[in-house]
Amino acid sequence: MASRILIVEDEEKIARFLELELSHEGYEAVKAADGREGLELALEGGFAVILLDVMLPGLNGLEVIRRLRKSSDVPVLMLTARDAVMDKVSGLDMGADDYVTKPFAIEELLARIRVLIRKKESSETAENRKTLVWGALTLDSAGHTVRYGEDIIDLTKREFALLELMLLNKNIVLSRETFIERVWGYDYMGETNVVDVYVRYLRGKIDEVYGVSMIRTVRGVGYVVKDDKG
Ligand code: CA
């Protein structure tokens, strides 16, 4: 399957050129002409690399990275103006993986894209081996599946993230604030008791079904999964 690459670039000439070159290399190129559209597409996921111009209408490239990094670790390669040193520094600070300066040589850009894809693939292989276990329950991080024995437990994205966080931090009591920050994100404005609601969902799908007490409440503090069989 062709790797998809998102091009966020408002200069039509550059965007078209990149699209042609990338297609020629066997990538599937998708274009966005402003920051807002670029961010939206990027958040939908499925891209191997994102090429991101800095000076963009709507949202600038730095703001796109900042928002994207709250929920995605997709490799981002910035396209910056030759003299915009601050853009490069801020971009890397915000979580961009690399940059090229305009005007760029296409061969260099393609080489950097290949490096980013390889890096990402090797980190995913490492992640693939990450299986978290609690008694008969196994959580496969990369495959996004949870099993109890042979049963597959059907969890929503948030339920999965909540459970994963607890299993990664076995024996450590996590506060509601920590859950909010790590599962819902810093800009979540709602009540922290949403955590209690999700813990209740998880207990309904796991603890109650299998007669275990995996998720323990620590009154006044938060929740913990202890390293035992319940
Ligand atoms: Ca631009």
Side-chain angles (χ1 to χ4, degrees), residues 9-11 53 55 102:
E9 168 64 79
D10 59 321
E11 277 163 79
D53 183 28
M55 298 290 283
K102 291 184 190 174

Side-chain angles (χ1 to χ4, degrees), residues 16-230:
R16 293 256 319 165
F17 168 69
L18 286 171
E19 183 183 31
L20 279 172
E21 291 291 337
L22 291 172
S23 313
H24 188 71
E25 290 296 310
Y27 298 111
E28 186 190 331
V30 177
K31 286 187 297 178
D34 70 75
R36 227 164 261 286
E37 187 194 354
L39 178 65
E40 238 167 69
L41 283 166
L43 286 172
E44 282 172 17
F47 294 102
V49 171
I50 294 178
L51 304 182
L52 182 62
D53 183 28
V54 176
M55 298 290 283
L56 286 167
L59 283 178
N60 74 41
L62 298 177
E63 187 58 21
V64 172
I65 299 181
R66 196 182 69 79
R67 298 196 191 183
L68 182 63
R69 278 293 174 254
K70 289 182 186 171
S71 59
S72 166
D73 61 355
V74 61
V76 174
L77 195 151
M78 285 192 306
L79 311 174
T80 66
R82 191 202 297 271
D83 302 320
V85 178
M86 274 317 290
D87 284 351
K88 291 163 201 164
V89 173
S90 325
L92 295 173
D93 275 351
M94 299 269 186
D97 297 87
D98 199 359
Y99 62 84
V100 294
T101 346
K102 291 184 190 174
F104 48 81
I106 189 67
E107 285 310 327
E108 185 192 348
L109 182 74
L110 292 171
R112 283 171 190 254
I113 289 173
R114 285 192 294 271
V115 168
L116 288 178
I117 291 177
R118 264 204 309 276
K119 229 161 69 182
K120 176 85 174 144
E121 278 171 356
S122 60
S123 81
E124 272 169 2
T125 321
E127 237 173 66
N128 273 336
R129 295 191 203 104
K130 197 158 68 191
T131 302
L132 303 168
V133 180
W134 185 88
L137 181 135
T138 51
L139 180 147
D140 169 5
S141 291
H144 267 259
T145 49
V146 177
R147 288 169 187 272
Y148 197 94
E150 296 292 295
D151 293 358
I152 291 183
I153 304 174
D154 186 28
L155 298 183
T156 65
K157 215 174 127 195
R158 284 221 206 281
E159 290 165 355
F160 184 91
L162 210 79
L163 180 60
E164 187 180 33
L165 186 63
M166 285 190 283
L167 292 175
L168 281 169
N169 294 280
K170 253 189 237 169
N171 303 314
I172 299 170
V173 182
L174 301 172
S175 68
R176 287 171 182 77
E177 289 70 26
T178 301
F179 283 111
I180 292 286
E181 224 175 81
R182 302 283 297 276
V183 176
W184 278 264
Y186 286 97
D187 52 357
Y188 175 78
M189 300 297 270
E191 303 284 332
T192 56
N193 66 12
V194 69
V195 176
D196 306 312
V197 174
Y198 274 80
V199 165
R200 205 150 63 227
Y201 294 157
L202 277 175
R203 282 177 171 154
K205 289 182 177 182
I206 301 167
D207 296 45
E208 285 163 29
V209 177
Y210 299 100
V212 293
S213 30
M214 177 178 65
I215 305 173
R216 309 288 184 88
T217 304
V218 180
R219 214 161 282 287
V221 188
Y223 297 99
V224 63
V225 169
K226 291 210 168 155
D227 200 7
D228 61 16
K229 311 275 183 207

